[in-house]
Amino acid sequence: MEIKDLLQDRREVILKKWFDVLLQTYPEETSRFLRKEKDPFSNPVGSAITEGISGIYQSILDGVDIKEVSPFLDRIIRIRAVQDFTPSQALGFLFLLKGVIRDVLLKEISKRGLDEELHTIESRIDDIALIAFDIYMQCREKLYDLRATELRNMTYRLLERANLTKDLGNGQEGVSD
Amino acid sequence: MAKAKTKTPKPEELAKIDYSPPEKHWTEVPVEFRPGTYCYGARPKYLEEVDMPNPREWQPYEDDWKLPENWKEIVLEGMEDRLNKYRTFRLFMDICVRCGACADKCHFFIGSGDPKNMPVLRAELVRSVYRKYFTTGGKLFGKKAGARELTMDVFKEWWYYFYQCTECRRCSVFCPYGIDTAEITIMGRELTNLLGCNTDWIAGPVANCYHKGNHLGLEPHTIQSNIEMMCDDIEEITGIRIEPTFNRKGAEILFVTPSGDLFGVPGVYTCMGYLMLFHELGLDYTWSTYASEGGNFGFFTSNEMARRLHYKIYAEAKRLGVKWILGGECGHMWRLIHQYLDTWWGPADFLEVPKSPITGTVFENAKSTKMVHVVEFTADLIRHGKLKLDPSRNDHLRVTFHDSCNTSRGMGFFEEPRYVIKNVCNHFYEMPENTIREKTFCCGSGSGLNASENMEIRMRGGFPRANAVRHVNQKYGVNMLANVCAIDRAALTTLMQYWVPDVEVCGVHELVGNALVMTGETERTMDLRLEELPGKEEEEEDV
């Protein structure tokens, strides 16, 4: 039996534990709500976390593909990038998975001599963490970009009147698509 | 000699980091002013303009807020005054049983995960002080009775959270006692204003409105030339030249809209829709360059300031001698007209009960205020078959509708915008039931929180709304979020760019303008954004 099979067999237990430790990064009253409310529109954060960790977990099992895992990382990170977290706190949830896997599977891994494979899985978590850094930064950069864009849009007409926003492509020869 | 007993931690133990927040009672955790979570402090020139107290340079992240020595006395006296004046305030302080029905209904709590954003706890910030100074139990038993001293930390906490509530009133829909937590925020803000602690984003528009009639402080010639620029664009799109009038005495109708429609994107496209509609109808109406703002940031400052700024619309209606007033797509303007106007200024008896000159419909609902919502006006036109519409011009749009908090919960305005949209668009999809109509989620930027410096807070607060939009975007391919509020048009645009970048934002009358078949128009190849209509590109493009 490979570690992948173990991870697949115990998927629900591991995901539930991961979800629980992730919720512990929120105040108690909040984590209670995030856990209890099942409606995805009343509890969009809880729902995004559930959806996100499930996709990330699958990606760890299958081998990391940036394109596939990114939307799931984005679901969670885009939220945590605007909540009251430092960057390390915002992304720390990924590393919590290592502890959860060891908690649930360590005995069996030792028994079956799958330590090397565990190392591979943990390396995949590290790879995903690197992708997560990129997504986190994109979110933060987007926030600053939005601030600048808003200021520009707010005074769009005034700038236009002052001939400050004329598009170069407008009626000018030599500019092609 | 005894050996030192030290135990080397194992790698697993070292890697164990406790992410849980410190376990302290909520009353003992002071707020931290992190950039992105607060608006800048009001500049003194804005406070001086409207005679507000304690004008000085200050910022919320500074230790010293430069308050008068007797600040505590001023706040407590202010509180007592309001407890005596507003029965609701005292009632809301007393009757909450902390059942928690409101707790998870606030978009700021849902998006931020900060328990002090639960409406019950946000109210408790004030209630705890109320108990200490105004109830026997609190005076005698202090903390055991849920009471606490008013300290500088507490005052700063008030400020932080009262300028983090959009007064949207979603929580009040779920309260079994009918407590309106927005009213508590409103009182809280009044108290902060007694010490000159407003935000710059609110105080600026208040001062500008008082002085010039609109939030940006635009002067009459600027307003006029901007509307004329829109007319240039309309001419390019339709071949029709529109000549609106300004400050025209004797017009039948005065039209007032939020100034965001005159200058901001995408508000200007909504405004173009109004201009086209009124021209096509041949409506006898005028713009005013003095009553040039439907919004009223006085409402986010104090009741008195809101009252003071509001009357300019009616003073201008009187000066121009119009019969009635037509109002544009705005949120809080309508809440004020609907719920506050009569208390402030009594019925506007010098005007006539609004009657549509096109359909003859008498707007009985506006019998006292004499002011009609433009969407209601348009819905009536469509109902009577007075408009020639080609909804296929909006076929490139798959539209959903965001109920603005103030028009939905503040005046029960649900059907008219949907009726209009369904008549001017072929593709309309509703968001989930628990996110629309009276349960609508706020844009996260209302009540003067649409500054840019508090972007993180806005993104948190707007997340539940964005999440529902994401759903219809994925399920039905929705790419346009329509609404009837100027703050929404600005704030949701930014919100979408962060959470659901495929979706754009528009006012309902932009969609009307696209679909409206005007007498003598040239064939439309562009929409109101001057973007080519799919399938109707100009031939020269094929060269």
Side-chain angles (χ1 to χ4, degrees):
Chain A
M1 188 181 233
E2 289 179 28
I3 197 163
K4 190 179 168 185
D5 302 322
L6 276 181
L7 289 168
Q8 193 63 57
D9 283 355
R10 309 297 297 278
R11 182 191 173 96
E12 291 312 311
V13 180
I14 294 173
L15 281 179
K16 188 181 176 305
K17 278 206 167 193
W18 191 15
F19 184 70
D20 284 345
V21 288
L22 199 159
L23 291 198
Q24 281 170 24
T25 62
Y26 291 95
E28 201 187 319
E29 300 88 339
T30 310
S31 59
R32 208 180 308 139
F33 160 69
L34 294 176
R35 187 176 295 112
K36 191 186 68 183
E37 176 60 65
K38 301 295 178 206
D39 182 287
F41 303 105
S42 299
N43 179 11
V45 174
S47 151
I49 293 173
T50 308
E51 194 186 311
I53 60 172
S54 171
I56 296 166
Y57 191 74
Q58 193 57 45
S59 182
I60 290 166
L61 260 65
D62 297 344
V64 180
D65 177 321
I66 291 193
K67 264 194 182 165
E68 272 175 27
V69 76
S70 291
F72 294 105
L73 284 168
D74 192 281
R75 282 290 274 151
I76 302 177
I77 294 167
R78 192 162 292 276
I79 295 168
R80 290 174 76 87
V82 294
Q83 290 181 328
D84 261 331
F85 293 116
T86 60
S88 60
Q89 287 169 337
L91 301 180
F93 75 93
L94 286 164
F95 299 105
L96 295 175
L97 178 60
K98 289 188 183 182
V100 171
I101 292 177
R102 280 171 179 263
D103 272 358
V104 178
L105 296 177
L106 196 60
K107 272 188 190 165
E108 226 157 330
I109 286 170
S110 305
K111 206 169 80 185
R112 295 170 193 268
L114 296 173
D115 302 66
E116 232 359 83
E117 289 194 31
L118 176 64
H119 180 69
T120 308
I121 292 295
E122 292 191 334
S123 297
R124 284 183 191 168
I125 296 177
D126 295 339
D127 289 344
I128 284 181
L130 291 176
I131 303 169
F133 289 141
D134 292 342
I135 294 175
Y136 179 84
M137 275 313 293
Q138 282 163 15
C139 291
R140 298 297 304 180
E141 280 167 7
K142 186 72 190 170
L143 286 176
Y144 293 108
D145 175 45
L146 291 174
R147 280 182 69 169
T149 308
E150 247 187 16
L151 288 171
R152 188 188 68 90
N153 283 356
M154 218 161 53
T155 49
Y156 170 75
R157 285 275 155 176
L158 299 175
L159 292 172
E160 200 173 48
R161 285 184 65 227
N163 284 325
L164 290 173
T165 61
K166 281 294 170 195
D167 185 355
L168 268 182
N170 247 354
Q172 295 212 356
E173 282 185 22
V175 180
S176 62
D177 291 336
Chain B
M1 203 174 122
K3 277 188 182 174
K5 282 185 185 172
T6 46
K7 192 185 156 203
T8 316
K10 290 181 180 165
E12 287 84 357
E13 287 169 343
L14 273 178
K16 237 180 191 173
I17 302 166
D18 184 9
Y19 291 97
S20 27
E23 282 182 17
K24 268 189 177 175
H25 193 258
W26 67 266
T27 53
E28 290 159 19
V29 186
V31 291
E32 187 192 342
F33 288 91
R34 288 181 53 223
T37 63
Y38 57 83
C39 294
Y40 298 141
R43 275 173 279 183
K45 63 174 181 182
Y46 292 143
L47 299 189
E48 281 158 7
E49 176 70 32
V50 286
D51 309 313
M52 295 292 283
N54 200 24
R56 81 279 180 218
E57 293 287 349
W58 75 289
Q59 286 304 337
Y61 54 81
E62 292 167 344
D63 282 343
D64 181 7
W65 280 21
K66 297 169 194 160
L67 303 184
E69 263 182 40
N70 61 337
W71 69 268
K72 202 165 152 176
E73 212 177 286
I74 295 173
V75 172
L76 291 174
E77 272 175 17
M79 211 166 156
E80 187 172 13
D81 179 38
R82 281 157 186 78
L83 284 165
N84 293 332
K85 195 156 64 172
Y86 304 116
R87 197 165 155 258
T88 47
F89 186 34
R90 187 175 283 277
L91 201 66
F92 294 164
M93 287 291 103
D94 283 330
I95 61 171
C96 174
V97 290
R98 289 185 263 183
C99 69
C102 64
D104 53 5
K105 305 303 185 294
C106 171
H107 51 295
F108 279 114
F109 170 65
I110 295 171
S112 70
D114 179 349
K116 286 185 191 174
N117 275 324
M118 290 176 173
V120 56
L121 202 44
R122 196 185 295 112
E124 203 66 15
L125 303 178
V126 176
R127 265 193 207 110
S128 53
V129 172
Y130 164 73
R131 288 195 198 99
K132 175 75 190 167
Y133 299 94
F134 301 98
T135 70
T136 313
K139 280 177 193 165
L140 288 175
F141 301 111
K143 201 176 164 182
K144 284 201 173 82
R148 64 171 176 170
E149 294 267 351
L150 176 62
T151 63
M152 202 54 227
D153 275 350
V154 169
F155 183 71
K156 286 184 176 180
E157 188 183 48
W158 282 9
W159 195 87
Y160 186 74
Y161 286 103
F162 291 137
Y163 291 92
Q164 217 172 95
C165 161
T166 43
E167 303 176 3
C168 81
R169 303 170 74 230
R170 187 170 194 265
C171 50
S172 69
V173 172
F174 298 88
C175 176
Y177 282 87
I179 297 174
D180 186 351
T181 309
E183 293 275 336
I184 297 174
T185 295
I186 289 168
M187 289 298 114
R189 287 193 185 187
E190 285 210 6
L191 297 176
T192 63
N193 269 287
L194 295 177
L195 301 178
C197 295
N198 205 343
T199 71
D200 202 57
W201 188 259
I202 295 173
V206 165
N208 287 334
C209 237
Y210 182 66
H211 200 76
K212 297 276 169 64
N214 57 71
H215 291 165
L216 286 173
L218 301 162
E219 299 196 339
H221 59 282
T222 316
I223 292 169
Q224 184 167 342
S225 65
N226 274 277
I227 291 176
E228 281 165 358
M229 264 182 67
M230 287 182 220
C231 295
D232 293 343
D233 286 350
I234 293 170
E235 190 172 10
E236 196 180 336
I237 297 163
T238 65
I240 293 170
R241 184 71 205 176
I242 294 176
E243 305 279 356
T245 61
F246 297 87
N247 307 320
R248 177 165 60 88
K249 288 191 175 176
E252 182 183 353
I253 299 163
L254 166 65
F255 181 66
V256 180
T257 199
S259 64
D261 283 353
L262 306 182
F263 298 91
V265 173
V268 286
Y269 309 124
T270 310
C271 195
M272 286 160 68
Y274 306 144
L275 285 161
M276 292 161 75
L277 175 71
F278 301 157
H279 172 85
E280 183 58 22
L281 296 172
L283 206 64
D284 178 15
Y285 83 107
T286 183
W287 292 84
S288 165
T289 56
Y290 303 104
S292 49
E293 179 64 73
N296 182 342
F297 275 32
F299 184 51
F300 312 138
T301 303
S302 69
N303 185 48
E304 189 49 43
M305 189 58 72
R307 178 176 181 270
R308 200 166 153 192
L309 296 184
H310 192 77
Y311 199 69
K312 69 165 184 287
I313 295 173
Y314 286 85
E316 183 66 341
K318 202 177 222 174
R319 186 182 75 90
L320 297 175
V322 300
K323 290 183 179 164
W324 56 280
I325 307 167
L326 188 58
E329 294 182 20
C330 184
H332 68 277
M333 164 170 96
W334 286 104
R335 182 167 171 206
L336 296 181
I337 301 283
H338 193 71
Q339 296 188 324
Y340 288 77
L341 181 83
D342 275 349
T343 313
W344 285 338
W345 298 105
D349 284 339
F350 57 92
L351 295 170
E352 291 177 18
V353 176
K355 180 178 173 185
S356 170
I358 316 297
T359 65
T361 299
V362 177
F363 293 94
E364 294 280 345
N365 55 327
K367 200 156 63 179
S368 178
T369 64
K370 316 289 194 292
M371 191 156 174
V372 174
H373 197 296
V374 69
V375 173
E376 201 175 5
F377 179 72
T378 303
D380 175 65
L381 292 168
I382 295 174
R383 181 77 180 78
H384 286 87
K386 299 292 182 188
L387 299 181
K388 197 172 171 198
L389 299 166
D390 177 2
S392 75
R393 290 175 186 170
N394 283 316
D395 273 356
H396 56 305
L397 304 176
R398 300 175 88 80
V399 182
T400 192
F401 179 68
H402 160 75
D403 291 272
S404 304
C405 307
N406 284 302
T407 49
S408 59
R409 285 186 283 267
M411 61 189 291
F413 196 64
F414 303 126
E415 301 308 329
E416 293 86 344
R418 288 177 169 81
Y419 179 75
V420 172
I421 292 172
K422 285 176 189 170
N423 276 282
V424 297
C425 298
N426 287 321
H427 308 294
F428 174 70
Y429 305 91
E430 287 280 16
M431 285 184 274
E433 179 274 333
N434 52 346
T435 73
I436 55 170
R437 297 178 184 263
E438 73 275 17
K439 291 179 200 158
T440 186
F441 274 120
C442 179
C443 64
S445 302
S447 81
L449 298 193
N450 52 327
S452 295
E453 64 265 22
N454 59 338
M455 193 58 82
E456 279 182 43
I457 285 292
R458 289 176 48 195
M459 293 303 108
R460 292 175 197 179
F463 177 52
R465 166 45 72 226
N467 181 60
V469 176
R470 179 179 178 270
H471 172 75
V472 285
N473 167 254
Q474 293 192 334
K475 194 167 178 187
Y476 307 114
V478 161
N479 58 7
M480 187 57 87
L481 176 57
N483 60 78
V484 287
C485 165
I487 289 180
D488 278 334
R489 282 190 281 282
L492 290 173
T493 299
T494 307
L495 191 76
M496 289 302 112
Q497 283 166 8
Y498 186 75
W499 294 107
V500 203
D502 298 344
V503 177
E504 290 190 272
V505 176
C506 72
V508 168
H509 275 77
E510 179 182 340
L511 301 172
V512 172
N514 276 340
L516 185 69
V517 179
M518 298 173 74
T519 314
E521 70 178 12
T522 50
E523 197 189 342
R524 299 266 187 108
T525 57
M526 287 180 284
D527 63 14
L528 298 200
R529 300 187 178 202
L530 296 168
E531 285 167 8
E532 281 165 0
L533 284 172
K536 297 194 174 168
E537 295 87 354
E538 284 183 83
E539 282 180 6
E540 60 199 74
E541 294 292 313
D542 297 332
V543 175

